[in-house]
Amino acid sequence: MKRSLPLRPPALICSALLTLTACGTFANNDSPAGADQNVVISLQFSPRANYALETDDALVLSQIGCLETLLTYDNKAGELKPLLATKWTQSNPTTWDFTLRENVKFQDGTALTADAVVKGLQHVLTVEAPPRAFNKTVVSSVTALNASTVRITTPKPSALLPFRLASANTGILAPAAYTASGIKPIGHCTGPYKPISEATGQSISMERNTTYWGGQVPLAKVEARFIAEGATRATQVQTGESQIALGIPATSVAALKNDKDLVVSETFTPRTTGLYFNNSRAPFNKAALRKAVQAALDLNAIAKSVYNNGAEPAIGPFSPTEPWAPKGVQPVAQNLDQAKALLAEAGYAPGKLKLTLLAYTERPEFADLATVIQANLKAIGIEVKVKSSDYAGIEPQLMSGDYDLTLLSRNHLVDIADPNGFLSSDYTCDGGFNISRFCDPAIDKKIASANAMADATERNAVYAEVARYLEENAVTVFQVHEQTHAAYRSDVKGFTDDPLARYAITTAVTVAKQ
């Protein structure tokens, strides 16, 4: 069963956020329309690494309208577009040049220059644990060709480097943001909203950037709250404590849809929930056991019950509507007899295998999903103990490989807007997020070959082949392709729930005068 954390009264929330300029629901009716529009947004994930850009904290800075990248990926159009860079050219197979936008200033008043961009990109390139999208395996050097041009070289021919410059991990901050004690984003972004204060781990408060290069910024103030509990996010948008809430759990959608003061958006995302194994150690170093677990799970029931029909049974890491998904593949149907036979083939009698399943609370549906998996595996004689915490609490075990099974929801375009980033990080021998501990040099070679392919159709054929292999060998048990839900007050206009989880507060977001 899901557990909802008790809601704190608004007064207690305010007392906890003494450093913020505003608390609770901002008033919008005291000034002319457009003058003092304010928004509170409830976010699913909090910064966990002092805003280090090589981590997922970069997505937080991007979502709140602070951090910007050289390029952006238009998910609807399926193409890269200019942002802080206006032009990018491949002068030879291993060299790309990016021309910077003119007259851009950081929020501390300093100018965006090639030297500033180089400093930022070299920082993420040389940290101890560089990001999956931008590291020394895919980038050789970053230099300033002149005052307005940045040159990036790659160790091998790369058609996908520009996609890496649209990753939030390659966001650009002013040189003063990089300090000995960590990243200091306040006052050092280029985006439309300027952070001015924060309550660590709870919220961050922003005001409009009056010198934004992109023109007029509509909202006067924005408060972003970090609320891990999905039911709490849903409650706050319903009561008006926040105007926008991301990551609404499926169990809250019906109630919010019945509220005439709210709008609930539904978008299928390039996100798949999987049951991940440590392939490098017993018992999941045996394909027969992985396939036994795969055959034991009832994916249709999971999609219908746990996700309230807001998901589809998975056919692998990619949804069948995506151009890189293998053709003609069907979801694996539950077959308990086959699962029991595979369990015996792996050398385990019923009742002899006891495992621990990790789940994290930021995905509220994982509580119910873990219960279903527990019951499905019990039916074939595998005992499962569920251990839940926030993601930060289980990540060390995942990265060290000290686990049996874990639930993980992965957006396969969040690193770069091409599956190569996801496949390289998650399923190559030296991948930066290879928590499966899966290693096959032949698969490494296929994924690497796609990086140099300028033709998307050729790349997609490689990705489909790799996806089929992962599914057929149960390297991961892919369970559902997900739909994302966001909710916002009906007076909020211009908000879009980004399926790639990069943007939330943009210059398109306004609040209608009541």
Side-chain angles (χ1 to χ4, degrees):
M1 295 181 62
K2 293 189 177 78
R3 293 189 306 116
S4 297
L5 296 178
L7 290 176
R8 290 178 295 169
L12 293 182
I13 294 173
C14 285
S15 67
L17 304 181
L18 295 177
T19 62
L20 297 181
T21 58
C23 192
T25 303
F26 291 121
N28 289 309
N29 300 326
D30 297 333
S31 301
D36 290 308
Q37 297 179 354
N38 306 299
V39 160
V40 176
I41 182 171
S42 297
L43 300 180
Q44 198 167 0
F45 295 96
S46 63
R48 300 186 299 269
N50 195 29
Y51 296 107
L53 295 190
E54 65 270 21
T55 72
D56 287 345
D57 287 7
L59 286 170
V60 175
L61 291 176
S62 180
Q63 285 181 325
I64 65 177
C66 170
L67 186 69
E68 295 183 316
T69 49
L70 294 187
L71 307 180
T72 185
Y73 181 76
D74 185 327
N75 188 61
K76 185 174 291 186
E79 62 184 19
L80 292 166
K81 291 189 175 180
L83 198 57
L84 294 180
T86 57
K87 185 172 68 172
W88 54 102
T89 56
Q90 189 173 22
S91 53
N92 65 58
T94 59
T95 302
W96 287 86
D97 294 333
F98 296 82
T99 302
L100 302 184
R101 188 178 296 277
E102 296 180 352
N103 302 317
V104 176
K105 290 188 179 297
F106 292 105
Q107 293 165 358
D108 62 5
T110 59
L112 175 74
T113 64
D115 286 341
V117 172
V118 169
K119 179 180 176 65
L121 294 180
Q122 284 184 336
H123 172 83
V124 296
L125 191 63
T126 57
V127 293
E128 182 178 351
R132 300 182 290 269
F134 201 81
N135 55 67
K136 289 183 178 179
T137 64
V138 293
V139 174
S140 298
S141 65
V142 183
T143 57
L145 192 60
N146 54 49
S148 60
T149 308
V150 174
R151 170 164 288 180
I152 301 178
T153 61
T154 59
K156 297 178 180 178
S158 174
L160 296 178
L161 182 73
F163 287 89
R164 300 183 184 281
L165 275 301
S167 165
N169 298 121
T170 63
I172 306 302
L173 296 173
Y178 303 93
T179 72
S181 59
I183 297 294
K184 306 297 182 185
I186 293 180
H188 296 138
C189 294
T190 60
Y193 293 99
K194 179 167 64 174
I196 54 176
S197 61
E198 69 170 315
T200 303
Q202 298 181 60
S203 61
I204 186 166
S205 185
M206 295 159 289
E207 64 184 16
R208 68 163 59 98
N209 178 7
T210 57
T211 61
Y212 181 53
W213 63 266
Q216 186 175 1
V217 178
L219 302 176
K221 296 177 182 177
V222 176
E223 179 188 326
R225 295 179 180 172
F226 310 124
I227 301 174
E229 175 64 32
T232 304
R233 293 193 300 275
T235 298
Q236 289 202 353
V237 75
Q238 194 164 28
T239 61
E241 290 181 71
S242 63
Q243 282 72 49
I244 303 171
L246 303 187
I248 296 297
T251 51
S252 299
V253 168
L256 298 189
K257 280 185 174 181
N258 288 330
D259 190 326
K260 62 181 178 59
D261 295 322
L262 296 178
V263 178
V264 178
S265 65
E266 298 176 327
T267 306
F268 269 100
T269 68
R271 178 179 290 281
T272 300
T273 288
L275 182 61
Y276 284 66
F277 312 120
N278 185 337
N279 284 234
S280 68
R281 73 179 191 187
F284 291 113
N285 57 344
K286 294 184 176 182
L289 183 61
R290 300 195 303 269
K291 292 179 181 181
V293 172
Q294 185 183 54
L297 298 187
D298 189 344
L299 302 187
N300 281 305
I302 287 171
K304 290 178 181 178
S305 62
V306 175
Y307 289 86
N308 286 1
N309 290 313
E312 296 177 347
I315 62 165
F318 308 132
S319 167
T321 60
E322 296 182 277
W324 36 75
K327 306 302 180 187
V329 177
Q330 298 297 319
V332 175
Q334 185 185 45
N335 187 328
L336 296 181
D337 289 338
Q338 181 185 25
K340 291 174 182 176
L342 287 164
L343 183 66
E345 180 184 332
Y348 293 95
K352 296 298 183 181
L353 197 56
K354 298 181 180 181
L355 304 170
T356 298
L357 170 63
L358 304 181
Y360 48 98
T361 54
E362 287 90 342
R363 295 282 171 189
E365 65 276 10
F366 279 7
D368 287 345
L369 180 54
T371 300
V372 173
I373 292 170
Q374 194 176 40
N376 285 171
L377 295 188
K378 184 178 181 180
I380 66 169
I382 298 178
E383 182 180 331
V384 175
K385 176 184 176 182
V386 178
K387 178 182 176 183
S388 296
S389 75
D390 60 10
Y391 180 77
I394 70 170
E395 187 178 54
Q397 288 176 264
L398 302 185
M399 300 308 292
S400 68
D402 185 22
Y403 76 99
D404 297 322
L405 328 91
T406 187
L407 287 171
L408 188 67
S409 174
R410 270 293 263 147
N411 187 317
H412 51 262
L413 298 184
V414 74
D415 295 330
I416 67 171
D418 182 277
N420 196 284
F422 160 73
L423 292 174
S424 297
S425 68
D426 288 32
Y427 294 106
T428 60
C429 296
D430 295 323
F433 199 64
N434 185 2
I435 65 169
S436 302
R437 293 297 195 272
F438 168 76
C439 182
D440 185 331
I443 294 297
D444 281 20
K445 188 175 181 180
K446 288 182 183 296
I447 295 171
S449 71
N451 185 58
M453 296 175 179
D455 185 275
T457 302
E458 289 185 49
R459 293 200 305 270
N460 292 345
V462 173
Y463 302 149
E465 185 179 353
V466 173
R468 186 184 296 272
Y469 178 93
L470 297 175
E471 175 77 349
E472 290 178 351
N473 290 274
V475 173
T476 298
V477 174
F478 301 103
Q479 297 172 87
V480 292
H481 304 303
E482 296 181 39
Q483 191 174 36
T484 180
H485 297 91
Y488 52 96
R489 307 293 297 179
S490 57
D491 58 349
V492 173
K493 308 300 178 184
F495 168 76
T496 300
D497 189 12
D498 178 17
L500 302 189
R502 304 153 303 167
Y503 308 120
I505 300 298
T506 69
T507 55
V509 177
T510 61
V511 180
K513 185 173 177 61
Q514 298 295 303

